[in-house]
Amino acid sequence: MIEIELDGQKVSVPEGSMVMHAADAAGKTIPHFCYHRKLSIAANCRMCLVDIEKAPKPMPACATPVTQGMIVRTQTDKAVKAQQSVMEFLLINHPLDCPICDQGGECQLQDLAVGYGKGASRYQEEKRVVFHKNVGPLISMEEMSRCIHCTRCVRFGQEIAGVMELGMIHRGEHSEITTMTGGTVDSELSGNMIDICPVGALTSKPFRYSARTWELSRRKSVSPHDSTGANLIVQVKNGQVLRVVPLENEDVNECWIADRDRFSYEALNSDQRLTQPQIKQGGQWQTVDWTTALNYVADGLKRVKAEHGVAGIGALGSAHRTVEELHLLAKLVRGFGSESIDTRTRHADFANMAPVGQAQWLGTTIASLSTLEAAFVVGSFLRKDHPLFAQRIRQAARKGAAVFSLNAVQDDWAMPLAGTLTAAPSAWAQSLANVAGYIASAKGVAAPAAALVDAGAEAVAQALLSGERKAVLLGNAAAQHPQAGALLALAQWIGAHTGASVGYLSADANTVGAQLVKALPGAGGLNAGQMLSQPMKALLLLDVEPALDAADAAAAKAAMAGAGLVVAFTSFKDAAVDNADVLLPIAPFTETGGAFVNAEGRVQAFHGVTKPLGDARPAWKVLRVLGNLLGLDGFNQETVEEVRAEALGDVATLAQRLNNTASAAIAVPAAGTGLERVADVPIYAADALVRRAPSLQRTADARAPMAGVPAALWAQLGLAEGAKVKLSQGGASAVLAARLDATLAANAVRVPAGHADTASLGAMFGAIAVEKA
């Protein structure tokens, strides 16, 4: 540690720190623009000039290393005059349009100009003009004349998002920030550039000119999308959500959020919001009151039970819903006599589950992902499935961590990879067995399964055998895989013999919570795959859209067409439930209280930030009343906290209920020989909210899905750019545009799921036929 004197105060900081770091440690504020504690040092703005004893001129605090005994003064005339001079230069070309600027009220330049700016400008010449750029539907670059060239946005793209989409061209007063190719900014983390821009150069295009910042009330919430559980500040005006920004939490999302966390709020204000209960009569939807709708549902369930018993009654819940809602859904179904309750609508191996009341989880803390020395990521479309986890692993890779991927296709994760294992989905277990084989040889123990010679697997084994901080991370595709249990068993063997943590990245905001509250089938109950492949006599759908959320969309559509009573608890009247009999309007996450349990097992509770729209009601209240109408015990809760306490029990014991022990024996099924489908779920097709957010649906990631075709098959079919292919699975087929993907395994075809264009196809992992259309 090095000790310096800062404004008369002794401060100790690690060797290699800058004066700015010492000021942070001492709680002193030095004015700055370009410095950001999460980004590299650029020393562009010079606003942080300070007076250092024995230095001939003021020095930038962000770029001056500390030395033993250094004496720094931040408030002397020399320092303040230097800062005032810098501010004068910064304002020479700045358009003084604060009254119409979206950044007004939360602008660093505005704030510091009050303290360091002059009352009048000496500059008489013409101000420069920088033409606006169109960089996509999320970020507005309409007023780039405001830019002060701090390059925070450039450094964020390069260092945090991993994609340098913005850069600075020209020199001097002709300098400007732009996309180097004139294209769009397409990173899934791009909205963070808006937050870190210290002026109004980059603003939110969906929010633009909607409100002034001081008109907005700010309320804490938690993201309902992926399993990070990003902390949010939801900003509200007149009962309407107008903006979402990150709430800093170093252990969870640091100071970043993904674009879907930031912009999916648009769906909350959609014309498609369901605001009143509806019952289908004679093929037409009739609006009714809550009493009529709930009595209709209760009477229908009683009638089905009387006529057919409880075997054909079940419920499917979305793991994007709160623990309270899923707990009451499971309790209602079980109280009625059925054990058919599930949230794993995209899974194929339903035997792969933790013991009752326990949950499969990340296996380590989220924060630890940033400090890994080796990571083996199995079956994940990491960047789009988990943008903030990818960001943490990217930081580890930048520090030298060896990151390996096993998948049927190798996407660009915007980070250096130490190696990739590419195999069709049916061969993933063999690839893990190969890694285990090399580990067994090095450790002198028996291998768990027959292994093949594979240089890539050997590199993975060597990386996992060295170092201290390492993890085997199973992604969404590994959890949804038909051999998910075998993959977990092999991963656990690898972890046990290398000291690596093993866990699931977890797909949804409440995947872990759904397991903890037992929203899974009990003895004799049907799982999600069974309920979505056969017509049910009565089916309750909590925020589930079967054709888009099922592992086998074609089977789900057929099952729904033959189903009896279908009750959809949904926030949207255009929900993809063509065969529903009743639509019950439930509040989205901003209009109800509740809790999510994220991938690391952290319980995060939140309150509703606005009143429910129209006659919509929190789903936990709807389920509670329905339980009472059905005459069930235990549905008398008055508050959401009461439901949570019942659902989760003693939160202090939660860590003991996290369990990744494999339930399956280690086995390596024979790999398939024909063409196999590998399916990702596009980032903006993953849940009901992002599907209905207009700005997200105009991004590059929301373009119509294409069929990824491996090089050999591309040549065999004689395809050219712009060609279309016909994809067939069983009796289902679809025609999609094709694209050559040289990273695909030779016998794999990539066809996205969760999208209307592919909702006529079969299983996400299964045999598929491809022919030129």
Short mmCIF file of all heavy atoms in Angstrom, two decimals, residues 123-157:
data_model
loop_
_atom_site.label_atom_id
_atom_site.label_comp_id
_atom_site.label_asym_id
_atom_site.label_seq_id
_atom_site.Cartn_x
_atom_site.Cartn_y
_atom_site.Cartn_z
N TYR A 123 -16.14 33.44 -26.32
CA TYR A 123 -16.03 32.87 -27.66
C TYR A 123 -17.04 33.54 -28.59
O TYR A 123 -18.24 33.51 -28.32
CB TYR A 123 -16.27 31.37 -27.58
CG TYR A 123 -15.99 30.60 -28.85
CD1 TYR A 123 -14.69 30.36 -29.26
CD2 TYR A 123 -17.03 30.09 -29.61
CE1 TYR A 123 -14.43 29.63 -30.41
CE2 TYR A 123 -16.79 29.36 -30.77
CZ TYR A 123 -15.48 29.15 -31.16
OH TYR A 123 -15.23 28.42 -32.31
N GLN A 124 -16.58 34.15 -29.67
CA GLN A 124 -17.46 34.87 -30.58
C GLN A 124 -17.65 34.16 -31.92
O GLN A 124 -18.55 34.49 -32.68
CB GLN A 124 -16.88 36.27 -30.87
CG GLN A 124 -16.70 37.13 -29.62
CD GLN A 124 -18.03 37.45 -28.95
OE1 GLN A 124 -19.04 37.70 -29.61
NE2 GLN A 124 -18.04 37.43 -27.62
N GLU A 125 -16.79 33.17 -32.21
CA GLU A 125 -16.82 32.51 -33.51
C GLU A 125 -18.04 31.58 -33.64
O GLU A 125 -18.73 31.32 -32.66
CB GLU A 125 -15.53 31.72 -33.73
CG GLU A 125 -14.30 32.59 -33.96
CD GLU A 125 -13.79 33.22 -32.67
OE1 GLU A 125 -14.17 32.74 -31.59
OE2 GLU A 125 -13.03 34.18 -32.76
N GLU A 126 -18.23 31.07 -34.86
CA GLU A 126 -19.34 30.12 -35.09
C GLU A 126 -19.08 28.82 -34.35
O GLU A 126 -17.96 28.31 -34.33
CB GLU A 126 -19.45 29.81 -36.59
CG GLU A 126 -20.64 30.45 -37.24
CD GLU A 126 -20.74 30.10 -38.72
OE1 GLU A 126 -20.69 28.90 -39.05
OE2 GLU A 126 -20.85 31.02 -39.53
N LYS A 127 -20.14 28.28 -33.78
CA LYS A 127 -20.01 26.96 -33.15
C LYS A 127 -20.04 25.89 -34.23
O LYS A 127 -20.68 26.05 -35.26
CB LYS A 127 -21.15 26.73 -32.15
CG LYS A 127 -21.04 27.55 -30.87
CD LYS A 127 -22.19 27.24 -29.94
CE LYS A 127 -22.09 28.08 -28.66
NZ LYS A 127 -21.42 27.38 -27.59
N ARG A 128 -19.36 24.79 -33.96
CA ARG A 128 -19.35 23.69 -34.92
C ARG A 128 -20.68 22.95 -34.87
O ARG A 128 -21.40 22.97 -33.85
CB ARG A 128 -18.21 22.73 -34.64
CG ARG A 128 -18.44 21.86 -33.42
CD ARG A 128 -17.36 20.82 -33.26
NE ARG A 128 -17.82 19.80 -32.33
CZ ARG A 128 -17.49 18.52 -32.38
NH1 ARG A 128 -16.67 18.10 -33.32
NH2 ARG A 128 -17.95 17.67 -31.51
N VAL A 129 -21.01 22.25 -35.95
CA VAL A 129 -22.22 21.44 -36.02
C VAL A 129 -21.82 20.02 -36.40
O VAL A 129 -21.04 19.83 -37.34
CB VAL A 129 -23.22 21.99 -37.05
CG1 VAL A 129 -24.40 21.04 -37.22
CG2 VAL A 129 -23.70 23.37 -36.64
N VAL A 130 -22.32 19.05 -35.66
CA VAL A 130 -22.07 17.64 -35.98
C VAL A 130 -23.40 17.03 -36.39
O VAL A 130 -24.38 17.13 -35.67
CB VAL A 130 -21.49 16.88 -34.77
CG1 VAL A 130 -21.24 15.42 -35.12
CG2 VAL A 130 -20.21 17.55 -34.29
N PHE A 131 -23.43 16.42 -37.56
CA PHE A 131 -24.69 15.87 -38.06
C PHE A 131 -25.09 14.62 -37.28
O PHE A 131 -24.25 13.87 -36.80
CB PHE A 131 -24.57 15.54 -39.56
CG PHE A 131 -24.50 16.77 -40.42
CD1 PHE A 131 -23.31 17.15 -41.03
CD2 PHE A 131 -25.62 17.58 -40.58
CE1 PHE A 131 -23.24 18.29 -41.79
CE2 PHE A 131 -25.55 18.72 -41.36
CZ PHE A 131 -24.37 19.09 -41.96
N HIS A 132 -26.38 14.46 -37.16
CA HIS A 132 -26.92 13.33 -36.40
C HIS A 132 -26.67 12.02 -37.15
O HIS A 132 -26.44 12.00 -38.36
CB HIS A 132 -28.42 13.51 -36.14
CG HIS A 132 -29.25 13.57 -37.38
ND1 HIS A 132 -29.66 12.45 -38.07
CD2 HIS A 132 -29.74 14.63 -38.08
CE1 HIS A 132 -30.35 12.81 -39.12
NE2 HIS A 132 -30.43 14.13 -39.14
N LYS A 133 -26.72 10.94 -36.41
CA LYS A 133 -26.55 9.59 -36.99
C LYS A 133 -27.74 8.74 -36.58
O LYS A 133 -28.29 8.90 -35.50
CB LYS A 133 -25.28 8.90 -36.47
CG LYS A 133 -23.98 9.47 -37.03
CD LYS A 133 -23.38 10.49 -36.13
CE LYS A 133 -22.07 11.02 -36.71
NZ LYS A 133 -21.64 12.25 -36.02
N ASN A 134 -28.10 7.80 -37.44
CA ASN A 134 -29.14 6.82 -37.09
C ASN A 134 -28.44 5.50 -36.79
O ASN A 134 -27.93 4.84 -37.69
CB ASN A 134 -30.13 6.65 -38.25
CG ASN A 134 -31.25 5.68 -37.90
OD1 ASN A 134 -31.39 5.28 -36.74
ND2 ASN A 134 -32.03 5.29 -38.88
N VAL A 135 -28.43 5.12 -35.51
CA VAL A 135 -27.71 3.91 -35.12
C VAL A 135 -28.65 2.82 -34.62
O VAL A 135 -28.24 1.91 -33.90
CB VAL A 135 -26.64 4.22 -34.04
CG1 VAL A 135 -25.53 5.08 -34.62
CG2 VAL A 135 -27.26 4.87 -32.82
N GLY A 136 -29.93 2.91 -34.99
CA GLY A 136 -30.88 1.87 -34.60
C GLY A 136 -32.03 2.42 -33.78
O GLY A 136 -32.14 3.63 -33.55
N PRO A 137 -32.90 1.53 -33.31
CA PRO A 137 -34.14 1.96 -32.65
C PRO A 137 -34.00 2.28 -31.17
O PRO A 137 -34.98 2.70 -30.55
CB PRO A 137 -35.05 0.74 -32.85
CG PRO A 137 -34.10 -0.42 -32.86
CD PRO A 137 -32.85 0.07 -33.52
N LEU A 138 -32.83 2.06 -30.57
CA LEU A 138 -32.71 2.21 -29.12
C LEU A 138 -31.98 3.47 -28.69
O LEU A 138 -32.38 4.14 -27.75
CB LEU A 138 -32.00 0.98 -28.53
CG LEU A 138 -32.63 -0.38 -28.84
CD1 LEU A 138 -31.83 -1.49 -28.20
CD2 LEU A 138 -34.09 -0.43 -28.40
N ILE A 139 -30.90 3.83 -29.40
CA ILE A 139 -30.08 4.98 -29.01
C ILE A 139 -30.29 6.11 -30.00
O ILE A 139 -30.22 5.91 -31.22
CB ILE A 139 -28.59 4.59 -28.96
CG1 ILE A 139 -28.35 3.50 -27.93
CG2 ILE A 139 -27.73 5.81 -28.64
CD1 ILE A 139 -26.92 3.00 -27.89
N SER A 140 -30.55 7.30 -29.46
CA SER A 140 -30.68 8.49 -30.31
C SER A 140 -29.34 9.23 -30.34
O SER A 140 -28.78 9.55 -29.28
CB SER A 140 -31.78 9.40 -29.77
OG SER A 140 -31.76 10.63 -30.46
N MET A 141 -28.83 9.49 -31.56
CA MET A 141 -27.64 10.32 -31.72
C MET A 141 -28.02 11.55 -32.56
O MET A 141 -27.30 11.97 -33.46
CB MET A 141 -26.52 9.52 -32.40
CG MET A 141 -26.01 8.37 -31.55
SD MET A 141 -24.70 7.38 -32.34
CE MET A 141 -23.28 8.47 -32.19
N GLU A 142 -29.17 12.14 -32.21
CA GLU A 142 -29.68 13.27 -32.96
C GLU A 142 -28.91 14.56 -32.67
O GLU A 142 -28.87 15.47 -33.49
CB GLU A 142 -31.17 13.49 -32.63
CG GLU A 142 -32.10 12.44 -33.18
CD GLU A 142 -32.21 12.49 -34.70
OE1 GLU A 142 -32.30 13.59 -35.25
OE2 GLU A 142 -32.18 11.41 -35.32
N GLU A 143 -28.34 14.68 -31.48
CA GLU A 143 -27.68 15.93 -31.08
C GLU A 143 -26.21 15.68 -30.75
O GLU A 143 -25.76 15.91 -29.63
CB GLU A 143 -28.38 16.57 -29.88
CG GLU A 143 -29.70 17.22 -30.21
CD GLU A 143 -30.86 16.26 -30.08
OE1 GLU A 143 -30.64 15.18 -29.52
OE2 GLU A 143 -31.96 16.58 -30.54
N MET A 144 -25.46 15.21 -31.72
CA MET A 144 -24.05 14.90 -31.45
C MET A 144 -23.19 16.15 -31.33
O MET A 144 -22.01 16.06 -30.95
CB MET A 144 -23.51 13.97 -32.53
CG MET A 144 -24.06 12.56 -32.46
SD MET A 144 -23.86 11.80 -30.82
CE MET A 144 -22.09 11.58 -30.74
N SER A 145 -23.75 17.31 -31.59
CA SER A 145 -23.00 18.55 -31.34
C SER A 145 -22.74 18.74 -29.85
O SER A 145 -21.86 19.50 -29.45
CB SER A 145 -23.77 19.77 -31.87
OG SER A 145 -23.93 19.69 -33.27
N ARG A 146 -23.53 18.03 -29.00
CA ARG A 146 -23.34 18.13 -27.56
C ARG A 146 -22.15 17.31 -27.07
O ARG A 146 -21.71 17.46 -25.93
CB ARG A 146 -24.59 17.61 -26.83
CG ARG A 146 -25.86 18.39 -27.11
CD ARG A 146 -27.06 17.68 -26.51
NE ARG A 146 -28.32 18.35 -26.80
CZ ARG A 146 -29.51 17.78 -26.75
NH1 ARG A 146 -29.61 16.49 -26.41
NH2 ARG A 146 -30.60 18.47 -27.00
N CYS A 147 -21.64 16.40 -27.90
CA CYS A 147 -20.60 15.46 -27.47
C CYS A 147 -19.34 16.20 -27.04
O CYS A 147 -18.89 17.15 -27.72
CB CYS A 147 -20.29 14.51 -28.62
SG CYS A 147 -18.99 13.34 -28.26
N ILE A 148 -18.75 15.80 -25.91
CA ILE A 148 -17.50 16.42 -25.43
C ILE A 148 -16.31 15.47 -25.58
O ILE A 148 -15.25 15.69 -25.00
CB ILE A 148 -17.64 16.88 -23.96
CG1 ILE A 148 -17.95 15.70 -23.04
CG2 ILE A 148 -18.70 17.97 -23.83
CD1 ILE A 148 -17.85 16.01 -21.57
N HIS A 149 -16.49 14.39 -26.35
CA HIS A 149 -15.40 13.47 -26.70
C HIS A 149 -14.74 12.81 -25.49
O HIS A 149 -13.54 12.62 -25.46
CB HIS A 149 -14.33 14.19 -27.54
CG HIS A 149 -14.89 14.88 -28.74
ND1 HIS A 149 -14.47 16.10 -29.17
CD2 HIS A 149 -15.90 14.53 -29.56
CE1 HIS A 149 -15.17 16.48 -30.22
NE2 HIS A 149 -16.05 15.53 -30.48
N CYS A 150 -15.55 12.44 -24.52
CA CYS A 150 -15.00 11.73 -23.35
C CYS A 150 -14.67 10.29 -23.71
O CYS A 150 -13.93 9.63 -22.99
CB CYS A 150 -16.00 11.78 -22.20
SG CYS A 150 -17.50 10.79 -22.48
N THR A 151 -15.25 9.78 -24.78
CA THR A 151 -15.08 8.40 -25.30
C THR A 151 -15.55 7.32 -24.34
O THR A 151 -15.15 6.17 -24.45
CB THR A 151 -13.63 8.10 -25.74
OG1 THR A 151 -12.76 8.09 -24.61
CG2 THR A 151 -13.14 9.10 -26.77
N ARG A 152 -16.39 7.67 -23.37
CA ARG A 152 -16.93 6.63 -22.49
C ARG A 152 -17.69 5.58 -23.30
O ARG A 152 -17.57 4.37 -23.05
CB ARG A 152 -17.88 7.24 -21.46
CG ARG A 152 -17.22 7.86 -20.25
CD ARG A 152 -18.31 8.27 -19.27
NE ARG A 152 -17.78 8.89 -18.07
CZ ARG A 152 -18.55 9.27 -17.05
NH1 ARG A 152 -19.86 9.09 -17.10
NH2 ARG A 152 -18.02 9.82 -15.98
N CYS A 153 -18.49 6.02 -24.27
CA CYS A 153 -19.29 5.08 -25.07
C CYS A 153 -18.40 4.14 -25.88
O CYS A 153 -18.69 2.95 -26.02
CB CYS A 153 -20.25 5.83 -25.98
SG CYS A 153 -19.47 7.04 -27.06
N VAL A 154 -17.29 4.69 -26.40
CA VAL A 154 -16.36 3.88 -27.19
C VAL A 154 -15.72 2.81 -26.31
O VAL A 154 -15.66 1.63 -26.65
CB VAL A 154 -15.27 4.77 -27.83
CG1 VAL A 154 -14.26 3.91 -28.59
CG2 VAL A 154 -15.90 5.80 -28.75
N ARG A 155 -15.27 3.24 -25.13
CA ARG A 155 -14.59 2.31 -24.21
C ARG A 155 -15.57 1.28 -23.65
O ARG A 155 -15.21 0.12 -23.45
CB ARG A 155 -13.91 3.08 -23.08
CG ARG A 155 -12.63 3.79 -23.53
CD ARG A 155 -12.05 4.66 -22.43
NE ARG A 155 -12.81 5.88 -22.24
CZ ARG A 155 -13.01 6.47 -21.07
NH1 ARG A 155 -12.52 5.93 -19.97
NH2 ARG A 155 -13.70 7.59 -20.99
N PHE A 156 -16.82 1.70 -23.41
CA PHE A 156 -17.81 0.74 -22.92
C PHE A 156 -17.99 -0.39 -23.95
O PHE A 156 -17.97 -1.57 -23.60
CB PHE A 156 -19.16 1.41 -22.68
CG PHE A 156 -20.26 0.43 -22.40
CD1 PHE A 156 -20.45 -0.07 -21.13
CD2 PHE A 156 -21.08 -0.06 -23.42
CE1 PHE A 156 -21.43 -1.03 -20.88
CE2 PHE A 156 -22.06 -1.00 -23.18
CZ PHE A 156 -22.23 -1.49 -21.90
N GLY A 157 -18.16 -0.01 -25.22
CA GLY A 157 -18.35 -1.03 -26.25
C GLY A 157 -17.18 -1.98 -26.34
O GLY A 157 -17.34 -3.20 -26.41
#
